[in-house]
């Protein structure tokens, strides 16, 4: 049976330039999901982050639609040559697909193992798909269990302990460029949530001046007041770039905001002072050619995450040991209690238990505390956005409140 | 007075201690597992004691206490000054990697002191204050340029690491701004001293009548010293023409120091009664 399928690209298989072209905004994802359901009558979820773009499908008919059709669909949706899509995507079916999702939610497939943003992003992607009415019994059960597994890994293992954040890497690199920050100017382009999280860390450098530039002047003013800076409109961006020493960019722009043609003439006005760009947006806000200029140090999200991964590797971080040696109860295991270690290391068994049609029914409702209907969509949770980056900003993820538990008759299987 | 073989042996011992210290420091810098220890500093201290012993011994032997009276004395004194500068910088505001560059420079100066002191020894016959100021300011300027050279090398290394977006090892390099300031400080001090050295050299040349026969035009030592002066003038030009800052400034400080070394070598080899 090849009904479950995941087709995607991630940081290991596709360069950042391709991933930013393939990324889906919330609106684009919603439209694509609706299109998929109309074409193939399949359940679908699109997970789009700065590290990956993945399409999860529960196909109504065995092996239909085919992989080639989905390659073409993705290529058509994003305007990417189909050969490029084929060269940089991977696909898994059934157990392998479920196992892949579990690895993703447990951040084992992330560039920075143990990062905490992926769980919220997968949840947002699932909630968007559910809200669009394109999920069904297979993907509902799969995603709910995967999210529960991801949460359990974070709370019951040491996987996330000692992780570095890209914010700390950004601060560290700023210190490798500049010695004294009291006479330096920090420019924040964009006033979104991710930019503010990073700004909180950069503020510990105590720069002499802070400028907030945003398309929405009112929002820029609010952020400037919060952080003790001065707001400017985007029309004054060149002027702000002349005085800036550290530039943090995180806008929703689909095109680069700071281009080579725009920035090069400013270098002489800046007296060729070194400048540090931290571009955490996807698609990128700063054109890569800007980074080729002398005295310009441009770090995009991939660069920061690579440094984090290298640093963790150098520090010799061990694979996640369990925080507790006592057995822990896996929510979705029909067999009751299983050790946390075996649960962590055998995501395939959990995936199998999710997919197997011959699973034993739960002995009692307490053995399967997962809700029998999908969690209600929280109105406060933001829609999936692929144009702002994500990982490891050391901030607690937005969480939806747990749904009320409903008593079920004995013997029912814990899926819909 | 030509240095004796025993004095040469003591200087060799100093070079050996410095080489051991350098090896230990580089090994610690390249491998994360090597713990920090006091051994490199201990070997550097032993080298300093050996060099000072050789220098004082030489002064006692010639029965004169004015430094830089002959080429062996001058080069050995220069190595001690560079060593003292390095120790001071590392004690006050350490610069990661500075000893990696400076220790080979010190070893090179001591080896040249031994070589030229035995093979091409010459007495400077320092009889006037102008002469003494000329020699001392040139050699001290060279010491300052050595610091600028080290700052320039480390700047390029740090810049390369940042451009390649490499994660730093267990110890981060000094910031680019710090290294640029170090280079700049070395160049400012060295340039001032070199200017004094050139002016006093002109005065001495006029006193000796060397300008009358234009012999100075053929003296590589003078030509090279003037080239060094121009190179460092370009580096100091950066505030006016900022395109000379950063990477270009680092490269110029490296090239300037290389030409400075050639000038010192020319001063050793060319001393045949020409322009002093």
């Amino acid at each position: 049976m090849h009904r479950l399928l995941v087709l995607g690209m991630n940081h290991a298989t596709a360069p950042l330039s391709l991933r930013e072209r393939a990324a889906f905004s919330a609106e684009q994802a919603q439209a694509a999901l609706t299109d998929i359901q109309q074409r193939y009558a399949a359940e679908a979820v699109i997970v789009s982050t700065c590290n990956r773009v993945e399409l999860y499908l529960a196909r109504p008919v065995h092996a239909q639609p085919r992989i080639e059709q989905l390659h073409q669909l993705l290529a058509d949706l994003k305007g990417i040559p189909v050969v490029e899509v084929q060269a940089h995507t991977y696909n898994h079916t059934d157990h392998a697909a479920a196992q892949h999702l579990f690895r993703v939610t447990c951040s084992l497939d992330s560039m920075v193992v143990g990062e905490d943003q992926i769980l919220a992003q997968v949840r947002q992607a699932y909630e968007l798909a559910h809200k669009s009415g394109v999920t069904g019994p297979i993907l509902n059960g799969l995603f709910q269990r995967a999210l529960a597994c991801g949460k359990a890994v974070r709370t019951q293992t040491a996987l996330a302990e000692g992780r570095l954040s890209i914010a700390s890497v950004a601060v560290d690199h700023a210190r490798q460029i500049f010695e004294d920050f009291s006479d330096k100017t920090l420019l924040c382009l964009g006033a979104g949530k991710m930019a503010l999280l990073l700004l909180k860390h950069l503020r510990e450098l105590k720069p002499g001046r802070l400028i907030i530039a945003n398309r929405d002047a009112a929002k820029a003013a609010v952020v400037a007041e919060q952080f003790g800076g001065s707001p400017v409109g985007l029309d004054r961006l060149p002027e702000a770039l002349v005085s800036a020493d550290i530039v943090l960019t995180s806008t929703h722009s689909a095109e680069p905001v700071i281009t080579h043609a725009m920035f090069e003439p400013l270098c002489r006005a800046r007296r060729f002072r070194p400048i540090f760009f931290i571009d955490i947006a996807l698609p990128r806000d700063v054109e890569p050619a800007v980074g080729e200029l002398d005295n310009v140090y441009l770090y995009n999200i991939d660069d920061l995450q690579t440094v984090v991964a290298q640093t963790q590797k150098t520090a010799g971080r061990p694979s996640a040991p369990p925080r507790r040696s006592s057995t822990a109860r896996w929510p979705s295991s029909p067999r009751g209690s299983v050790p946390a270690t075996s649960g962590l290391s055998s995501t395939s068994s959990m995936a199998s238990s999710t997919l197997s049609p011959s699973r034993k029914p739960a002995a009692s409702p307490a053995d399967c505390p997962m809700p029998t209907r999908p969690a209600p969509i929280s109105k406060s949770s933001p829609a999936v956005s692929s144009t702002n980056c994500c990982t490891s900003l050391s901030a607690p993820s937005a969480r939806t409140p747990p749904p009320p538990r409903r008593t079920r008759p004995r013997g029912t299987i814990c899926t819909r | 007075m030509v240095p004796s073989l025993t004095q040469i042996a003591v200087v060799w011992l100093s070079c050996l201690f410095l080489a051991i210290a350098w090896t230990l420091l580089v090994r610690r810098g390249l491998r994360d597992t090597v713990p920090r220890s006091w051994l490199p500093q201990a070997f550097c201290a032993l080298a300093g004691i050996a060099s000072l012993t050789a220098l004082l011994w030489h002064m006692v032997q010639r029965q004169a206490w004015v430094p830089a009276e002959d080429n062996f004395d001058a080069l050995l004194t220069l190595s001690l000054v560079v060593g003292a500068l390095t120790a001071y910088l590392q004690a006050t505001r350490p610069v990661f990697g500075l000893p990696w560059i400076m220790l080979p420079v010190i070893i090179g100066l001591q080896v040249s002191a031994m070589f030229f002191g035995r093979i091409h020894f010459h007495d400077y016959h320092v009889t006037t204050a102008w002469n003494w100021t000329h020699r001392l300011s040139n050699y001290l300027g060279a010491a300052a340029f050595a610091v600028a050279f080290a700052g320039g090398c480390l700047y390029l290394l740090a810049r390369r690491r940042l451009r390649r977006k490499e994660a730093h090892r267990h110890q981060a390099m000094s910031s680019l701004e710090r290294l640029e300031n170090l280079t700049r400080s070395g160049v400012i001090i060295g340039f001032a001293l070199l200017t004094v050295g050139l002016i006093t050299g002109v005065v001495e040349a006029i006193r000796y009548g060397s300008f009358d026969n234009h012999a100075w035009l053929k003296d590589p030592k003078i030509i090279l010293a003037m080239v060094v002066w121009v190179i460092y003038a370009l580096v100091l030009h950066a505030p006016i023409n900022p395109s000379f800052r950063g990477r270009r400034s680092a490269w110029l400080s490296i090239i300037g120091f290389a030409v400075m070394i050639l000038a010192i070598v020319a001063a050793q080899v060319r001393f045949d009664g020409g322009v002093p």
Side-chain angles (χ1 to χ4, degrees):
Chain A
M1 183 180 75
H2 294 285
R3 288 190 61 187
L4 186 62
L5 169 73
V6 59
L7 173 71
M9 61 178 71
N10 64 12
H11 55 89
T13 65
L16 179 62
S17 55
L18 178 59
R19 297 201 316 269
E20 64 185 353
R21 283 186 288 156
F24 286 86
S25 64
E27 296 77 21
Q28 290 170 343
Q30 197 161 14
L33 289 168
T34 308
D35 184 27
I36 289 170
Q37 194 183 46
Q38 285 172 355
R39 282 197 204 199
Y40 307 116
E43 302 175 38
V45 175
I46 293 177
V47 176
S48 179
T49 72
C50 46
N51 275 343
R52 67 188 65 248
V53 177
E54 290 176 338
L55 171 64
Y56 291 86
L57 276 185
R59 299 180 279 190
V61 179
H62 170 64
Q64 290 293 333
R66 298 192 312 277
I67 303 288
E68 295 76 24
Q69 290 173 283
L70 295 171
H71 281 148
Q72 189 63 54
L73 174 69
L74 185 59
D76 292 341
L77 282 174
K78 303 308 293 181
I80 301 170
V82 67
V83 290
E84 210 173 334
V85 171
Q86 288 168 345
H88 292 96
T89 52
Y90 49 82
N91 61 83
H92 306 293
T93 53
D94 286 343
H95 295 137
Q99 184 175 5
H100 177 80
L101 176 61
F102 276 70
R103 286 183 57 83
V104 167
T105 55
C106 295
S107 71
L108 295 174
D109 199 58
S110 299
M111 186 186 286
V112 180
V113 174
E115 56 104 349
D116 56 2
Q117 295 293 314
I118 187 62
L119 194 59
Q121 287 158 342
V122 171
R123 180 181 291 115
Q124 287 172 3
Y126 166 64
E127 287 171 355
L128 176 69
H130 179 76
K131 185 179 168 187
S132 304
V134 294
T135 60
I138 295 178
L139 290 191
N140 283 337
L142 177 66
F143 271 81
Q144 288 170 15
R145 279 159 184 75
L147 290 168
C149 180
K151 184 183 169 189
V153 162
R154 274 164 186 77
T155 55
Q156 296 176 22
T157 73
L159 184 65
E161 277 183 4
R163 69 176 185 274
L164 285 175
S165 67
I166 59 168
S168 62
V169 167
V171 167
D172 188 47
H173 275 65
R175 289 200 172 110
Q176 289 184 46
I177 298 172
F178 304 109
E179 184 74 9
D180 179 23
F181 290 88
S182 59
D183 58 347
K184 300 298 185 292
T185 299
L186 171 60
L187 168 64
C188 181
L189 184 57
K193 185 175 80 169
M194 299 305 169
L196 298 188
L197 283 172
L198 206 58
L199 196 56
K200 276 182 192 167
H201 285 81
L202 289 172
R203 198 170 53 164
E204 72 188 42
L205 296 171
K206 296 190 179 65
R209 193 173 159 218
L210 174 62
I211 303 173
I212 309 292
N214 197 38
R215 189 171 45 191
D216 184 351
K219 197 167 182 187
V222 166
V223 172
E225 190 178 340
Q226 179 187 350
F227 287 93
S230 50
V232 297
L234 283 184
D235 55 323
R236 291 178 58 194
L237 180 61
E239 188 184 319
L241 283 172
V242 169
S243 59
D245 301 287
I246 304 170
V247 180
L248 166 62
T249 67
S250 178
T251 72
H252 293 273
S253 172
E255 297 294 327
V257 177
I258 300 172
T259 60
H260 182 271
M262 171 201 179
F263 188 76
E264 194 188 11
L266 302 177
C267 288
R268 185 160 284 276
R270 290 176 45 80
R271 302 186 67 77
F272 295 95
R273 295 190 333 270
I275 187 166
F276 180 35
F277 282 102
I278 308 166
D279 183 3
I280 59 171
L282 191 78
R284 290 170 283 187
D285 284 335
V286 184
E287 208 175 66
V290 173
E292 302 300 321
L293 294 169
D294 217 5
N295 289 337
V296 173
Y297 302 93
L298 170 60
Y299 278 67
N300 57 41
I301 187 61
D302 259 12
D303 298 327
L304 291 168
Q305 289 180 337
T306 302
V307 171
V308 171
Q310 281 176 357
T311 307
Q312 286 180 330
K313 189 178 171 185
T314 305
R317 285 191 69 227
S319 55
R323 185 173 293 171
R324 299 189 305 216
S325 57
S326 57
T327 56
R329 197 178 188 84
W330 288 105
S332 58
S333 169
R335 296 187 294 273
S337 301
V338 294
T341 47
S342 63
L344 174 64
S345 62
S346 61
T347 53
S348 59
S349 63
M350 295 192 62
S352 299
S353 68
T354 305
L355 286 179
S356 171
S358 59
R359 269 180 67 238
K360 292 181 183 177
S364 72
D367 288 336
C368 191
M370 287 299 300
T372 55
R373 61 187 170 89
I377 307 294
S378 168
K379 289 183 182 172
S380 63
S381 62
V384 169
S385 169
S386 65
T387 57
N388 263 324
C389 187
C390 45
T391 51
S392 298
L393 291 178
S394 297
S397 314
R399 295 175 57 185
T400 56
R405 189 175 292 186
R406 194 174 76 180
T407 308
R408 293 168 293 104
R410 280 174 179 266
T412 56
I413 297 174
C414 211
T415 55
R416 263 191 70 207
Chain B
M1 178 175 287
V2 177
S4 65
L5 285 176
T6 317
Q7 292 169 11
I8 297 294
V10 172
V11 178
W12 265 117
L13 192 62
S14 166
C15 291
L16 180 65
F17 287 145
L18 289 171
I20 294 171
W22 183 81
T23 306
L24 290 171
L25 285 169
V26 169
R27 188 164 157 262
R28 188 171 76 192
L30 293 177
R31 290 169 61 179
D32 300 339
T33 53
V34 177
R36 296 183 72 88
S37 76
W38 48 268
L39 279 176
Q41 287 81 356
F43 277 108
C44 286
L46 287 172
I49 292 169
S51 305
L52 199 58
T53 303
L55 182 66
L56 292 173
W57 190 348
H58 184 69
M59 285 179 171
V60 166
Q61 198 173 29
R62 71 165 188 236
Q63 294 180 348
W65 297 99
V66 177
E69 281 210 348
D70 56 63
N71 58 344
F72 174 77
D73 185 322
L75 289 169
L76 200 56
T77 306
L78 179 57
S79 75
L80 279 167
V81 169
V82 173
L85 259 179
T86 308
Y88 170 74
L89 284 169
Q90 293 303 91
T92 51
R93 286 188 68 198
V95 178
F96 178 75
L98 186 67
W100 297 359
I101 315 285
M102 297 300 265
L103 287 180
V105 171
I106 297 168
I107 292 172
L109 287 169
Q110 294 193 346
V111 168
S112 62
M114 288 184 286
F115 179 79
F116 289 114
R118 288 294 293 185
I119 307 300
H120 210 277
F121 178 83
H122 52 262
D123 210 326
Y124 288 145
H125 301 293
V126 179
T127 54
T128 65
W130 288 106
N131 200 321
W132 186 80
T133 306
H134 168 71
R135 305 236 172 255
L136 201 63
S137 57
N138 281 331
Y139 279 109
L140 290 178
F145 288 143
V147 173
F149 163 74
C153 290
L154 292 172
Y155 180 94
L156 293 175
L157 199 61
R159 179 185 175 275
R160 178 172 169 267
R161 183 180 277 184
L162 281 166
R163 296 289 277 203
R164 290 175 66 169
K165 290 151 191 183
E166 295 171 356
H168 60 77
R169 294 175 183 272
H170 62 290
Q171 191 171 1
M173 296 197 72
S174 298
S175 67
L176 293 181
E177 189 177 1
R178 171 93 204 280
L179 294 170
E180 199 173 7
N181 289 341
L182 180 72
T183 304
R184 190 161 187 74
S185 302
V187 168
I188 288 172
I189 295 171
F191 185 79
L193 289 167
L194 180 62
T195 305
V196 169
L198 287 175
I199 292 171
T200 50
V202 167
V203 170
E204 282 289 284
I206 292 172
R207 280 160 54 88
Y208 277 98
S210 301
F211 278 128
D212 300 334
N213 57 2
H214 302 291
W216 64 276
L217 285 170
K218 299 173 195 168
D219 192 337
K221 177 190 78 173
I222 295 176
I223 302 297
L224 287 170
M226 289 170 66
V227 169
V228 170
W229 191 90
V230 168
I231 289 172
Y232 283 113
L234 285 173
V235 176
L236 289 178
H237 188 238
I240 303 169
N241 185 356
S243 62
F244 275 102
R245 68 179 302 166
R247 186 170 55 103
R248 288 183 187 178
S249 172
W251 273 114
L252 282 174
S253 66
I254 292 170
I255 294 169
F257 183 70
V259 179
M260 183 92 208
I261 293 293
L262 287 176
I264 291 175
V265 170
Q268 308 305 315
V269 173
R270 187 69 174 84
F271 196 87
D272 54 358
V275 180

